[in-house]
Amino acid sequence: MLFKQQALLRQKLLVLGSLAIGSLLYLVARVGSLDRLQPLCPIDSRFGPHGQEEIPLRALQFKRGLLHEFRKGNATKEQIRLHNLVQQLPKAIIIGVRKGGTRALLEMLNLHPAVVKASQEIHFFDNDENYAKGIEWYRKKMPFSYPHQITIEKSPAYFITEEVPERIYKMNSSIKLLIIVREPTTRAISDYTQVLEGKERKNKTYYKFEKLAIDPNTCEVNTKYKAVRTSIYTKHLERWLKYFPIEQFHIVDGDRLITEPLPELQLVEKFLNLPPRISQYNLYFNATRGFYCLRFNIVFNKCLAGSKGRIHPEVDTTVITKLRKFFHPFNQKFYQITGRTFNWP
């Protein structure tokens, strides 16, 4: 009799345990579903410490759900009007540099509830054909956002294209400009690696980096090679300074963004006059990928595309030394102009 009672008790405990686990799983799924689907009030505290309206972090899920439908063109004009959504010209642009970490920076800034990113590179200011379509064409390429959010786009070619500074100045002379840089030689090799991968996918041959970076006739650094030219940061920045004061630029350390992203993002928040919202919770190191990924909530995580973090080919050490020696005086001038020093060799 006692044995039967014990068996019955164990059976009841198993049933109760199963129900408890099932309920917990349902609640987790339900919370994630509500975060994604419920239209949330976009204003938590009307004014932040900088006098800007804020959006609670929970609105991230709403932004990635409903606004995604608007971007795909699935929303009616009435829905857009009711939700007070607009397509705004960017108040900040990541203008460069190529292979400096522009995509990572944009995606990480998108963690902030007051930031809305343009998903694709627009290439408005550096492409004559696009620029001829006019500023309204450009604005309509921007994502839907609330009026108190800021839109950010990135097109790394802007930094090195001669016509761009004047064109952006004509649109908005007070716009904030973000430049993310890496150690110049590493950036040049990364630039080469991306092009090399594209050639290999098409079964095309390509010169070794050493042959492109060094002029075979003079044995000096080949400044006609685009990957080298792009890494002479100060030359490009000087052209921008003809139109914008240095105070409108913020320099992001792309090497540090890889290894220790949060301090860099906090500096950008401050530059953009945004209340601090991005925390260590939003960033976690993925040992398999070898870099930090993004955590928006308990349901939604995101890592950058697999094409990021390519393995660089081995480069002759004498060429690396020659390049670093070549870049050194330009780097020193860059430090002087920007007021930010990097530990570049």
Side-chain angles (χ1 to χ4, degrees):
M1 182 67 178
L2 180 61
F3 177 76
K4 287 183 179 181
Q5 288 177 339
Q6 289 176 337
L8 184 61
L9 180 61
R10 282 197 298 270
Q11 187 176 8
K12 288 181 178 179
L13 288 172
L14 284 172
V15 171
L16 289 172
S18 299
L19 287 172
I21 292 171
S23 298
L24 180 61
L25 291 173
Y26 171 79
L27 286 171
V28 169
R30 183 63 176 163
V31 168
S33 174
L34 288 172
D35 277 349
R36 289 193 303 272
L37 299 178
Q38 279 189 343
L40 303 175
C41 176
I43 298 177
D44 180 19
S45 171
R46 286 294 297 184
F47 297 98
H50 300 284
Q52 285 190 317
E53 291 180 337
E54 302 173 19
I55 300 174
L57 283 173
R58 280 172 55 84
L60 281 166
Q61 287 73 55
F62 175 51
K63 187 172 74 175
R64 279 163 228 293
L66 185 60
L67 298 190
H68 178 66
E69 294 301 311
F70 292 162
R71 282 197 294 272
K72 291 192 302 182
N74 294 342
T76 65
K77 290 182 179 180
E78 181 64 15
Q79 285 176 313
I80 293 170
R81 187 188 65 78
L82 287 173
H83 289 285
N84 199 29
L85 293 166
V86 290
Q87 286 174 293
Q88 304 182 79
L89 291 172
K91 295 178 183 175
I93 301 178
I94 301 172
I95 59 174
V97 299
R98 173 180 162 92
K99 305 313 298 175
T102 57
R103 173 55 61 182
L105 177 61
L106 183 68
E107 295 293 343
M108 289 178 178
L109 289 178
N110 195 48
L111 287 164
H112 199 291
V115 171
V116 180
K117 69 178 177 69
S119 299
Q120 302 297 323
E121 293 180 9
I122 311 299
H123 289 285
F124 176 65
F125 298 102
D126 66 308
N127 184 297
D128 291 341
E129 186 178 335
N130 287 343
Y131 190 68
K133 295 174 182 176
I135 204 72
E136 274 304 297
W137 177 89
Y138 179 56
R139 186 179 63 79
K140 289 177 180 177
K141 290 291 181 181
M142 295 300 133
F144 284 96
S145 62
Y146 296 110
H148 45 272
Q149 290 177 306
I150 68 169
T151 298
I152 297 180
E153 77 124 322
K154 74 102 173 173
S155 293
Y158 289 168
F159 186 58
I160 64 170
T161 306
E162 290 188 12
E163 299 83 2
V164 171
E166 182 179 5
R167 289 174 175 179
I168 292 181
Y169 180 84
K170 287 179 178 178
M171 177 190 74
N172 182 358
S173 61
S174 61
I175 197 166
K176 293 181 179 290
L177 302 165
L178 293 162
I179 305 171
I180 179 167
V181 294
R182 296 187 67 192
E183 191 277 311
T185 301
T186 302
R187 194 222 64 82
I189 295 171
S190 181
D191 197 328
Y192 166 83
T193 304
Q194 178 170 298
V195 176
L196 175 65
E197 185 180 274
K199 297 284 186 182
E200 289 176 341
R201 279 200 305 267
K202 298 175 183 177
N203 294 318
K204 293 182 177 180
T205 57
Y206 197 51
Y207 293 113
K208 291 187 69 175
F209 176 79
E210 293 87 341
K211 190 169 183 178
L212 294 167
I214 304 298
D215 188 326
N217 297 319
T218 64
C219 293
E220 297 299 325
V221 172
N222 179 15
T223 55
K224 293 181 180 179
Y225 178 37
K226 188 176 180 180
V228 168
R229 205 165 59 246
T230 299
S231 285
I232 308 175
Y233 304 139
T234 185
K235 289 289 186 181
H236 305 294
L237 181 59
E238 284 173 344
R239 184 171 58 250
W240 283 85
L241 290 173
K242 293 176 183 177
Y243 295 91
F244 300 96
I246 194 63
E247 292 77 20
Q248 281 177 233
F249 296 87
H250 178 73
I251 311 301
V252 179
D253 185 341
D255 294 308
R256 192 183 183 204
L257 192 73
I258 296 170
T259 60
E260 197 179 0
L262 184 58
E264 286 299 312
L265 295 172
Q266 290 172 334
L267 288 173
V268 178
E269 283 180 324
K270 186 175 180 180
F271 172 70
L272 297 177
N273 294 324
L274 294 172
R277 288 293 180 269
I278 302 173
S279 70
Q280 197 60 60
Y281 169 80
N282 301 117
L283 303 158
Y284 68 96
F285 186 77
N286 186 314
T288 304
R289 301 293 295 277
F291 48 78
Y292 279 86
C293 295
L294 316 180
R295 179 187 291 117
F296 294 93
N297 55 40
I298 61 172
V299 176
F300 184 55
N301 298 338
K302 180 177 182 178
C303 283
L304 296 180
S307 60
K308 305 300 177 184
R310 297 179 180 88
I311 298 175
H312 293 179
E314 288 189 18
V315 177
D316 190 307
T317 54
T318 59
V319 172
I320 291 176
T321 301
K322 188 181 286 285
L323 282 168
R324 286 176 173 170
K325 185 178 180 181
F326 168 80
F327 287 126
H328 182 74
F330 296 111
N331 295 343
Q332 295 301 312
K333 192 171 184 180
F334 186 70
Y335 302 160
Q336 184 181 4
I337 294 172
T338 61
R340 182 156 195 187
T341 303
F342 300 92
N343 296 320
W344 296 338

